[in-house]
Amino acid sequence: MEKIQMTTPLVEMDGDEMTRIVWKMIKDELLLPFIDLKTEYYDLGLEYRNETNDQVTFDSAEATKKYGVAVKCATITPNAARMDEYDLKEMWKSPNGTIRAILDGTVFRAPIVVKGIEPYVGNWKKPITIARHAYGDVYKGVEMKVPGKGKAELVFTAEDGTEMRETIHDFDGEGIVQGMHNLNDSITSFAKSCFNYALETKQDLWFSTKDTISKKYDHTFKDIFQDIYDAEYADKFEAAGIEYFYTLIDDAVARVVRSDGGYIWACKNYDGDVMSDMIATAFGSLSMMTSVLVSPEGNYEYEAAHGTVQRHYYKYLNGEETSTNPIATIFAWSGALRKRGDLDGIEDLKVFADKLEEACIKTIEKGEMTGDLYLISTLENKKKLNTEEFIKAIRNTLDELMQ
Ligand code: NAP
Ligand code: MG
Protein backbone atom coordinates (compact mmCIF):
# COMPACT_ATOMS: atom_id res chain seq x y z
CA MET A 1 0.00 0.00 0.00
CA GLU A 2 1.27 3.47 -0.82
CA LYS A 3 1.50 5.87 2.08
CA ILE A 4 -0.68 8.97 2.12
CA GLN A 5 1.34 12.09 1.29
CA MET A 6 1.02 15.37 3.16
CA THR A 7 1.90 18.84 1.86
CA THR A 8 1.95 21.00 5.02
CA PRO A 9 3.42 19.82 8.32
CA LEU A 10 1.34 19.44 11.45
CA VAL A 11 2.72 21.17 14.51
CA GLU A 12 3.46 18.24 16.82
CA MET A 13 3.65 19.07 20.55
CA ASP A 14 4.98 16.12 22.50
CA GLY A 15 4.23 15.86 26.22
CA ASP A 16 4.81 14.04 29.48
CA GLU A 17 4.55 10.80 31.44
CA MET A 18 2.12 8.07 30.34
CA THR A 19 0.65 10.11 27.53
CA ARG A 20 4.15 10.58 26.09
CA ILE A 21 4.55 6.78 26.01
CA VAL A 22 1.13 6.39 24.40
CA TRP A 23 1.95 9.18 21.92
CA LYS A 24 4.85 7.19 20.49
CA MET A 25 2.83 3.97 20.36
CA ILE A 26 0.08 5.74 18.41
CA LYS A 27 2.56 7.13 15.90
CA ASP A 28 4.39 3.83 15.41
CA GLU A 29 1.36 1.57 15.25
CA LEU A 30 -1.48 3.67 13.83
CA LEU A 31 -0.02 6.57 11.83
CA LEU A 32 3.42 5.90 10.34
CA PRO A 33 2.40 2.65 8.58
CA PHE A 34 -0.26 4.57 6.64
CA ILE A 35 0.92 8.17 6.30
CA ASP A 36 4.13 9.79 5.16
CA LEU A 37 3.75 11.87 8.29
CA LYS A 38 5.03 15.44 8.04
CA THR A 39 5.32 17.23 11.36
CA GLU A 40 7.27 20.10 12.84
CA TYR A 41 8.22 18.63 16.20
CA TYR A 42 8.21 20.56 19.50
CA ASP A 43 9.13 18.76 22.69
CA LEU A 44 6.86 20.17 25.41
CA GLY A 45 8.01 17.50 27.85
CA LEU A 46 8.82 19.21 31.16
CA GLU A 47 12.56 18.51 30.95
CA TYR A 48 12.93 20.33 27.66
CA ARG A 49 10.62 23.15 28.71
CA ASN A 50 12.90 23.64 31.71
CA GLU A 51 16.02 23.46 29.54
CA THR A 52 14.68 26.15 27.16
CA ASN A 53 13.17 28.33 29.89
CA ASP A 54 9.78 27.45 28.40
CA GLN A 55 10.75 29.04 25.06
CA VAL A 56 9.74 25.82 23.29
CA THR A 57 6.11 26.35 24.38
CA PHE A 58 6.04 29.85 22.91
CA ASP A 59 7.70 28.62 19.72
CA SER A 60 5.16 25.83 19.33
CA ALA A 61 2.28 28.30 19.66
CA GLU A 62 3.87 30.61 17.08
CA ALA A 63 4.31 27.64 14.74
CA THR A 64 0.60 26.90 15.15
CA LYS A 65 -0.13 30.43 13.93
CA LYS A 66 2.16 29.82 10.96
CA TYR A 67 0.83 26.42 9.84
CA GLY A 68 -2.73 26.53 11.21
CA VAL A 69 -3.02 23.05 12.76
CA ALA A 70 -1.37 21.53 15.84
CA VAL A 71 -1.74 18.30 17.79
CA LYS A 72 -0.75 18.31 21.45
CA CYS A 73 0.05 15.59 23.97
CA ALA A 74 -0.92 16.12 27.61
CA THR A 75 1.73 17.97 29.62
CA ILE A 76 2.59 18.45 33.28
CA THR A 77 1.64 21.76 34.83
CA PRO A 78 4.34 22.06 37.48
CA ASN A 79 3.47 22.39 41.16
CA ALA A 80 5.70 22.30 44.25
CA ALA A 81 6.18 18.51 44.04
CA ARG A 82 7.29 18.75 40.40
CA MET A 83 9.91 21.38 41.30
CA ASP A 84 11.84 18.70 43.18
CA GLU A 85 10.95 15.79 40.94
CA TYR A 86 12.31 17.54 37.81
CA ASP A 87 14.77 19.90 39.51
CA LEU A 88 13.09 22.88 37.83
CA LYS A 89 14.58 26.37 37.50
CA GLU A 90 11.11 27.88 37.85
CA MET A 91 7.54 26.74 38.33
CA TRP A 92 6.74 27.07 34.63
CA LYS A 93 3.21 28.04 33.69
CA SER A 94 0.65 25.65 32.27
CA PRO A 95 1.54 25.10 28.58
CA ASN A 96 -2.16 25.04 27.76
CA GLY A 97 -2.55 28.44 29.40
CA THR A 98 0.42 29.84 27.48
CA ILE A 99 -0.80 28.45 24.16
CA ARG A 100 -4.35 29.70 24.78
CA ALA A 101 -3.09 33.16 25.64
CA ILE A 102 -1.13 33.31 22.37
CA LEU A 103 -3.83 31.85 20.13
CA ASP A 104 -6.74 33.53 22.03
CA GLY A 105 -9.33 30.95 21.30
CA THR A 106 -12.28 28.92 22.35
CA VAL A 107 -11.95 25.31 23.48
CA PHE A 108 -14.56 22.90 22.13
CA ARG A 109 -14.90 19.64 24.05
CA ALA A 110 -17.15 16.78 23.02
CA PRO A 111 -17.60 13.22 24.31
CA ILE A 112 -16.85 10.26 22.05
CA VAL A 113 -20.02 8.19 22.15
CA VAL A 114 -19.77 4.38 21.86
CA LYS A 115 -22.17 1.50 22.38
CA GLY A 116 -21.78 -0.06 25.81
CA ILE A 117 -20.70 3.15 27.52
CA GLU A 118 -24.08 4.59 28.42
CA PRO A 119 -24.45 8.17 29.66
CA TYR A 120 -25.62 8.46 33.26
CA VAL A 121 -28.33 10.75 31.95
CA GLY A 122 -30.55 8.24 30.18
CA ASN A 123 -32.09 10.62 27.62
CA TRP A 124 -28.72 11.86 26.25
CA LYS A 125 -28.50 10.28 22.81
CA LYS A 126 -26.15 12.68 21.00
CA PRO A 127 -22.93 14.30 22.22
CA ILE A 128 -23.04 17.66 23.97
CA THR A 129 -20.16 19.93 22.98
CA ILE A 130 -18.94 22.46 25.52
CA ALA A 131 -17.44 25.65 24.07
CA ARG A 132 -15.26 27.18 26.76
CA HIS A 133 -14.01 30.75 26.51
CA ALA A 134 -10.28 30.44 27.11
CA TYR A 135 -9.43 33.96 28.27
CA GLY A 136 -9.73 35.97 31.47
CA ASP A 137 -12.22 36.06 34.35
CA VAL A 138 -11.03 34.24 37.46
CA TYR A 139 -8.06 32.73 35.55
CA LYS A 140 -6.55 36.20 35.27
CA GLY A 141 -7.95 37.32 38.59
CA VAL A 142 -6.11 39.42 41.14
CA GLU A 143 -6.87 38.53 44.73
CA MET A 144 -6.28 39.93 48.17
CA LYS A 145 -6.77 38.72 51.70
CA VAL A 146 -8.29 41.62 53.59
CA PRO A 147 -6.52 41.78 56.96
CA GLY A 148 -9.21 43.68 58.87
CA LYS A 149 -11.39 46.78 59.06
CA GLY A 150 -11.22 49.01 55.96
CA LYS A 151 -12.67 49.79 52.56
CA ALA A 152 -12.09 47.86 49.33
CA GLU A 153 -12.68 49.80 46.12
CA LEU A 154 -12.72 49.21 42.39
CA VAL A 155 -10.83 52.03 40.65
CA PHE A 156 -10.32 52.60 36.94
CA THR A 157 -7.90 55.34 35.90
CA ALA A 158 -8.27 56.43 32.28
CA GLU A 159 -5.26 57.52 30.23
CA ASP A 160 -6.20 61.18 30.81
CA GLY A 161 -6.25 60.65 34.55
CA THR A 162 -9.99 60.65 35.14
CA GLU A 163 -11.19 58.05 37.61
CA MET A 164 -14.15 55.72 37.95
CA ARG A 165 -14.67 54.36 41.45
CA GLU A 166 -16.97 51.82 43.11
CA THR A 167 -16.99 50.59 46.67
CA ILE A 168 -16.70 46.81 46.77
CA HIS A 169 -17.23 46.53 50.51
CA ASP A 170 -16.69 48.29 53.80
CA PHE A 171 -15.01 45.58 55.82
CA ASP A 172 -15.59 45.29 59.56
CA GLY A 173 -13.15 42.44 59.87
CA GLU A 174 -11.07 40.00 57.86
CA GLY A 175 -12.24 38.92 54.42
CA ILE A 176 -11.28 38.42 50.82
CA VAL A 177 -11.57 40.37 47.55
CA GLN A 178 -11.01 39.52 43.93
CA GLY A 179 -10.67 41.64 40.79
CA MET A 180 -11.15 40.13 37.37
CA HIS A 181 -11.48 41.34 33.83
CA ASN A 182 -12.27 40.44 30.29
CA LEU A 183 -11.86 42.17 26.93
CA ASN A 184 -14.52 42.99 24.37
CA ASP A 185 -12.14 41.81 21.65
CA SER A 186 -11.74 38.44 23.29
CA ILE A 187 -15.47 38.04 23.91
CA THR A 188 -16.08 38.97 20.28
CA SER A 189 -13.70 36.30 19.04
CA PHE A 190 -15.25 33.81 21.48
CA ALA A 191 -18.67 34.56 19.99
CA LYS A 192 -17.43 34.28 16.41
CA SER A 193 -15.63 31.00 17.08
CA CYS A 194 -18.86 29.59 18.54
CA PHE A 195 -21.05 30.77 15.68
CA ASN A 196 -18.55 29.46 13.11
CA TYR A 197 -18.20 26.11 14.86
CA ALA A 198 -21.98 25.73 15.05
CA LEU A 199 -22.24 26.35 11.29
CA GLU A 200 -19.30 24.02 10.58
CA THR A 201 -20.81 21.16 12.61
CA LYS A 202 -24.48 22.03 11.90
CA GLN A 203 -25.51 22.08 15.54
CA ASP A 204 -27.61 24.52 17.57
CA LEU A 205 -25.70 26.92 19.81
CA TRP A 206 -26.72 27.64 23.39
CA PHE A 207 -25.07 30.36 25.44
CA SER A 208 -25.57 30.97 29.14
CA THR A 209 -24.25 33.34 31.80
CA LYS A 210 -25.62 34.87 35.00
CA ASP A 211 -26.59 38.28 33.59
CA THR A 212 -29.48 38.80 36.03
CA ILE A 213 -26.97 39.02 38.88
CA SER A 214 -23.96 40.32 36.94
CA LYS A 215 -25.70 43.18 35.17
CA LYS A 216 -22.56 44.69 33.61
CA TYR A 217 -19.97 41.90 33.44
CA ASP A 218 -22.03 38.93 32.27
CA HIS A 219 -24.50 41.18 30.49
CA THR A 220 -21.70 42.40 28.24
CA PHE A 221 -21.09 38.80 27.15
CA LYS A 222 -24.79 38.40 26.37
CA ASP A 223 -24.98 41.67 24.42
CA ILE A 224 -21.85 41.03 22.36
CA PHE A 225 -23.11 37.57 21.37
CA GLN A 226 -26.53 38.94 20.40
CA ASP A 227 -25.15 41.90 18.41
CA ILE A 228 -22.80 39.70 16.42
CA TYR A 229 -25.49 37.11 15.85
CA ASP A 230 -27.98 39.68 14.55
CA ALA A 231 -25.43 41.46 12.35
CA GLU A 232 -23.50 38.53 10.88
CA TYR A 233 -25.00 35.13 11.59
CA ALA A 234 -28.80 35.15 11.82
CA ASP A 235 -29.25 34.55 8.06
CA LYS A 236 -26.57 31.88 7.92
CA PHE A 237 -28.08 30.03 10.87
CA GLU A 238 -31.51 30.12 9.28
CA ALA A 239 -30.12 28.81 6.00
CA ALA A 240 -28.36 25.98 7.86
CA GLY A 241 -31.52 25.16 9.82
CA ILE A 242 -29.86 25.68 13.19
CA GLU A 243 -30.69 27.90 16.14
CA TYR A 244 -28.91 30.28 18.53
CA PHE A 245 -30.43 30.86 21.90
CA TYR A 246 -29.40 32.53 25.14
CA THR A 247 -30.55 31.54 28.59
CA LEU A 248 -29.47 31.89 32.22
CA ILE A 249 -26.87 29.37 33.34
CA ASP A 250 -29.14 27.75 35.94
CA ASP A 251 -31.90 27.38 33.37
CA ALA A 252 -29.36 25.96 30.92
CA VAL A 253 -28.24 23.31 33.41
CA ALA A 254 -31.84 22.14 33.83
CA ARG A 255 -32.45 22.09 30.07
CA VAL A 256 -29.20 20.24 29.38
CA VAL A 257 -30.15 17.43 31.73
CA ARG A 258 -33.60 17.12 30.11
CA SER A 259 -32.29 17.30 26.51
CA ASP A 260 -31.26 14.50 24.16
CA GLY A 261 -27.96 16.27 23.28
CA GLY A 262 -26.63 17.22 19.86
CA TYR A 263 -25.82 20.92 20.40
CA ILE A 264 -23.00 23.23 21.45
CA TRP A 265 -23.19 24.84 24.89
CA ALA A 266 -21.05 27.97 25.08
CA CYS A 267 -19.79 28.80 28.57
CA LYS A 268 -17.62 31.46 30.16
CA ASN A 269 -14.15 30.33 31.22
CA TYR A 270 -14.97 29.01 34.70
CA ASP A 271 -18.38 27.59 33.80
CA GLY A 272 -16.76 25.77 30.88
CA ASP A 273 -14.03 24.34 33.11
CA VAL A 274 -16.57 22.88 35.52
CA MET A 275 -19.27 21.89 33.04
CA SER A 276 -16.89 20.08 30.68
CA ASP A 277 -15.80 17.78 33.51
CA MET A 278 -19.45 17.22 34.43
CA ILE A 279 -20.41 16.44 30.82
CA ALA A 280 -17.39 14.16 30.34
CA THR A 281 -18.09 12.21 33.50
CA ALA A 282 -21.81 11.96 32.81
CA PHE A 283 -21.06 10.62 29.31
CA GLY A 284 -18.67 8.05 30.73
CA SER A 285 -15.08 9.15 31.09
CA LEU A 286 -12.60 12.01 30.66
CA SER A 287 -10.53 9.63 28.56
CA MET A 288 -13.37 9.65 25.97
CA MET A 289 -13.43 13.40 25.41
CA THR A 290 -12.07 15.31 22.41
CA SER A 291 -10.78 18.83 22.80
CA VAL A 292 -9.87 21.44 20.21
CA LEU A 293 -8.81 25.05 20.61
CA VAL A 294 -10.09 27.21 17.75
CA SER A 295 -8.58 30.68 17.40
CA PRO A 296 -10.38 33.64 15.84
CA GLU A 297 -7.91 33.55 12.92
CA GLY A 298 -8.90 29.96 12.24
CA ASN A 299 -5.96 28.14 13.83
CA TYR A 300 -6.67 24.75 15.40
CA GLU A 301 -4.95 22.94 18.25
CA TYR A 302 -6.19 19.40 18.97
CA GLU A 303 -5.50 17.60 22.27
CA ALA A 304 -6.93 15.12 24.76
CA ALA A 305 -8.99 16.53 27.62
CA HIS A 306 -7.28 14.45 30.31
CA GLY A 307 -3.86 14.84 31.93
CA THR A 308 -0.65 12.84 31.74
CA VAL A 309 -2.07 9.92 33.78
CA GLN A 310 0.75 10.10 36.31
CA ARG A 311 -0.33 7.06 38.36
CA HIS A 312 -0.13 4.77 35.33
CA TYR A 313 3.28 6.20 34.38
CA TYR A 314 4.82 5.24 37.72
CA LYS A 315 3.46 1.73 37.24
CA TYR A 316 4.95 1.70 33.75
CA LEU A 317 8.34 2.82 35.11
CA ASN A 318 8.15 -0.05 37.61
CA GLY A 319 7.67 -2.49 34.76
CA GLU A 320 4.08 -3.14 35.80
CA GLU A 321 1.27 -3.59 33.30
CA THR A 322 -0.81 -0.51 32.48
CA SER A 323 -4.19 -0.13 30.84
CA THR A 324 -4.21 3.50 29.72
CA ASN A 325 -6.92 4.62 27.34
CA PRO A 326 -5.37 6.21 24.20
CA ILE A 327 -8.69 7.13 22.53
CA ALA A 328 -8.73 10.86 23.30
CA THR A 329 -5.12 11.18 22.14
CA ILE A 330 -5.85 9.22 18.95
CA PHE A 331 -8.82 11.52 18.27
CA ALA A 332 -6.53 14.52 18.73
CA TRP A 333 -4.40 13.11 15.88
CA SER A 334 -7.39 12.21 13.70
CA GLY A 335 -8.91 15.64 14.26
CA ALA A 336 -5.68 17.36 13.29
CA LEU A 337 -5.11 15.13 10.25
CA ARG A 338 -8.68 15.67 9.04
CA LYS A 339 -8.33 19.44 9.39
CA ARG A 340 -4.99 19.35 7.55
CA GLY A 341 -6.62 17.27 4.81
CA ASP A 342 -9.44 19.77 4.66
CA LEU A 343 -7.19 22.82 4.40
CA ASP A 344 -4.82 21.21 1.88
CA GLY A 345 -7.45 19.40 -0.16
CA ILE A 346 -6.07 15.91 0.56
CA GLU A 347 -9.08 13.60 0.40
CA ASP A 348 -7.10 10.48 1.42
CA LEU A 349 -6.05 12.12 4.67
CA LYS A 350 -9.66 12.94 5.57
CA VAL A 351 -10.78 9.40 4.75
CA PHE A 352 -7.93 8.01 6.85
CA ALA A 353 -8.94 10.20 9.82
CA ASP A 354 -12.51 8.92 9.57
CA LYS A 355 -11.34 5.30 9.40
CA LEU A 356 -8.98 5.70 12.34
CA GLU A 357 -11.86 6.99 14.48
CA GLU A 358 -14.15 4.27 13.18
CA ALA A 359 -11.52 1.66 14.09
CA CYS A 360 -11.38 2.97 17.67
CA ILE A 361 -15.14 2.86 18.08
CA LYS A 362 -15.54 -0.55 16.42
CA THR A 363 -12.82 -2.06 18.59
CA ILE A 364 -14.52 -0.90 21.79
CA GLU A 365 -17.92 -2.01 20.50
CA LYS A 366 -16.43 -5.47 19.76
CA GLY A 367 -15.71 -5.63 23.49
CA GLU A 368 -11.97 -4.91 23.44
CA MET A 369 -11.14 -2.02 25.77
CA THR A 370 -8.91 -0.57 28.47
CA GLY A 371 -9.57 -0.91 32.19
CA ASP A 372 -11.32 2.44 32.65
CA LEU A 373 -13.95 1.49 30.06
CA TYR A 374 -14.10 -2.12 31.20
CA LEU A 375 -15.34 -0.86 34.57
CA ILE A 376 -18.31 1.00 33.07
CA SER A 377 -19.11 -0.86 29.83
CA THR A 378 -22.47 -2.64 29.73
CA LEU A 379 -21.30 -5.07 27.00
CA GLU A 380 -21.45 -8.71 28.00
CA ASN A 381 -18.49 -10.05 26.02
CA LYS A 382 -16.07 -7.36 27.19
CA LYS A 383 -12.35 -7.96 27.63
CA LYS A 384 -9.80 -5.80 29.45
CA LEU A 385 -6.62 -5.19 27.45
CA ASN A 386 -3.39 -3.52 28.46
CA THR A 387 -2.21 -0.31 26.77
CA GLU A 388 -0.23 -2.03 24.03
CA GLU A 389 -2.74 -4.80 23.37
CA PHE A 390 -5.52 -2.25 22.96
CA ILE A 391 -3.56 -0.17 20.45
CA LYS A 392 -2.74 -3.41 18.55
CA ALA A 393 -6.45 -4.31 18.57
CA ILE A 394 -7.27 -0.91 17.05
CA ARG A 395 -4.55 -1.55 14.44
CA ASN A 396 -6.19 -4.85 13.49
CA THR A 397 -9.56 -3.17 13.02
CA LEU A 398 -7.91 -0.35 11.08
CA ASP A 399 -6.14 -2.82 8.78
CA GLU A 400 -9.53 -4.35 7.95
CA LEU A 401 -11.08 -0.94 7.28
CA MET A 402 -8.17 0.17 5.08
CA GLN A 403 -8.43 -2.82 2.69
P1 NAP B 1 -5.11 12.71 34.81
O1 NAP B 1 -3.89 12.51 34.01
O2 NAP B 1 -6.27 13.28 34.06
O3 NAP B 1 -5.53 11.34 35.49
C1 NAP B 1 -6.37 11.26 36.63
C2 NAP B 1 -6.94 9.86 36.73
O4 NAP B 1 -7.98 9.71 35.76
C3 NAP B 1 -5.94 8.78 36.39
O5 NAP B 1 -5.17 8.44 37.52
C4 NAP B 1 -6.83 7.67 35.90
O6 NAP B 1 -7.53 7.01 36.95
C5 NAP B 1 -7.88 8.46 35.13
N1 NAP B 1 -7.50 8.68 33.72
C6 NAP B 1 -7.28 9.87 33.10
N2 NAP B 1 -6.98 9.68 31.81
C7 NAP B 1 -6.99 8.36 31.61
C8 NAP B 1 -6.74 7.54 30.49
N3 NAP B 1 -6.40 8.07 29.29
N4 NAP B 1 -6.84 6.20 30.62
C9 NAP B 1 -7.18 5.64 31.80
N5 NAP B 1 -7.43 6.37 32.91
C10 NAP B 1 -7.34 7.71 32.81
O7 NAP B 1 -4.80 13.66 36.02
P2 NAP B 1 -3.56 13.60 37.05
O8 NAP B 1 -2.90 12.27 37.03
O9 NAP B 1 -4.12 14.14 38.29
O10 NAP B 1 -2.58 14.68 36.49
C11 NAP B 1 -1.34 14.33 35.94
C12 NAP B 1 -0.73 15.55 35.29
O11 NAP B 1 -1.53 15.94 34.18
C13 NAP B 1 -0.61 16.76 36.18
O12 NAP B 1 0.76 17.13 36.24
C14 NAP B 1 -1.43 17.83 35.49
O13 NAP B 1 -0.77 19.06 35.56
C15 NAP B 1 -1.50 17.36 34.10
N6 NAP B 1 -2.70 17.76 33.33
C16 NAP B 1 -2.50 18.10 32.04
C17 NAP B 1 -3.56 18.41 31.21
C18 NAP B 1 -3.30 18.76 29.78
O14 NAP B 1 -2.16 18.82 29.36
N7 NAP B 1 -4.30 18.97 28.99
C19 NAP B 1 -4.87 18.36 31.72
C20 NAP B 1 -5.06 17.98 33.05
C21 NAP B 1 -3.97 17.68 33.84
P3 NAP B 1 -6.97 5.73 37.72
O15 NAP B 1 -5.67 6.15 38.34
O16 NAP B 1 -8.05 5.45 38.70
O17 NAP B 1 -6.78 4.63 36.73
MG1 MG C 1 -11.20 21.29 34.74
Side-chain angles (χ1 to χ4, degrees), residues 8 28 54 80 84 146-147 155 184 201 210 244 266 295 310 315 317 348 374 381-382:
T8 317
D28 289 345
D54 211 22
D84 295 337
V146 173
V155 182
N184 286 15
T201 60
K210 192 73 180 172
Y244 166 65
S295 86
Q310 183 179 18
K315 280 173 75 175
L317 289 181
D348 285 354
Y374 182 83
N381 61 340
K382 59 184 176 180

Side-chain angles (χ1 to χ4, degrees), residues 149-358:
K149 214 168 157 57
K151 179 155 109 173
E153 287 180 290
L154 215 49
V155 182
F156 171 77
T157 314
E159 257 182 344
D160 67 5
T162 50
E163 275 186 4
M164 290 162 72
R165 200 174 273 267
E166 289 276 351
T167 300
I168 299 170
H169 193 68
D170 281 308
F171 285 88
D172 280 333
E174 287 177 61
I176 39 183
V177 283
Q178 180 182 62
M180 52 183 204
H181 79 280
N182 222 299
L183 308 170
N184 286 15
D185 276 353
S186 178
I187 302 168
T188 299
S189 53
F190 172 40
K192 288 187 176 176
S193 301
C194 292
F195 291 129
N196 288 336
Y197 200 77
L199 284 168
E200 207 174 293
T201 60
K202 293 233 176 342
Q203 298 184 90
D204 289 347
L205 176 68
W206 300 12
F207 181 42
S208 57
T209 71
K210 192 73 180 172
D211 66 290
T212 46
I213 298 299
S214 173
K215 291 187 197 314
K216 296 210 173 80
Y217 200 103
D218 279 18
H219 214 288
T220 299
F221 277 82
K222 178 185 176 179
D223 289 343
I224 289 177
F225 265 70
Q226 195 62 50
D227 291 347
I228 292 173
Y229 178 73
D230 292 342
E232 297 174 39
Y233 289 94
D235 294 345
K236 292 180 193 155
F237 268 51
E238 201 182 331
I242 58 174
E243 203 188 356
Y244 166 65
F245 102 99
Y246 174 87
T247 188
L248 279 173
I249 181 117
D250 30 2
D251 178 53
V253 168
R255 283 173 188 258
V256 163
V257 171
R258 286 196 306 263
S259 77
D260 65 351
Y263 49 85
I264 300 160
W265 179 14
C267 292
K268 288 174 57 201
N269 209 348
Y270 175 82
D271 298 339
D273 186 353
V274 176
M275 290 305 163
S276 59
D277 277 15
M278 188 274 285
I279 294 283
T281 308
F283 266 103
S285 159
L286 207 57
S287 58
M288 295 291 282
M289 192 91 173
T290 64
S291 185
V292 55
L293 174 71
V294 182
S295 86
E297 291 90 36
N299 299 312
Y300 292 76
E301 185 240 319
Y302 293 83
E303 56 167 0
H306 58 76
T308 60
V309 212
Q310 183 179 18
R311 203 180 64 85
H312 296 205
Y313 181 59
Y314 290 153
K315 280 173 75 175
Y316 170 86
L317 289 181
N318 269 333
E320 289 171 53
E321 192 173 58
T322 59
S323 186
T324 309
N325 189 340
I327 295 286
T329 306
I330 296 173
F331 272 63
W333 276 100
S334 58
L337 290 168
R338 183 184 295 107
K339 180 54 76 181
R340 202 62 273 169
D342 216 19
L343 294 174
D344 297 345
I346 307 172
E347 198 56 34
D348 285 354
L349 206 53
K350 286 160 61 179
V351 171
F352 175 79
D354 289 346
K355 290 201 167 154
L356 179 55
E357 291 179 1
E358 195 185 336

Side-chain angles (χ1 to χ4, degrees), residues 115-117 364 369 372-380 382:
K115 252 184 257 132
I117 314 291
I364 298 170
M369 59 192 78
D372 56 322
L373 300 181
Y374 182 83
L375 284 175
I376 54 176
S377 172
T378 56
L379 295 182
E380 273 171 15
K382 59 184 176 180

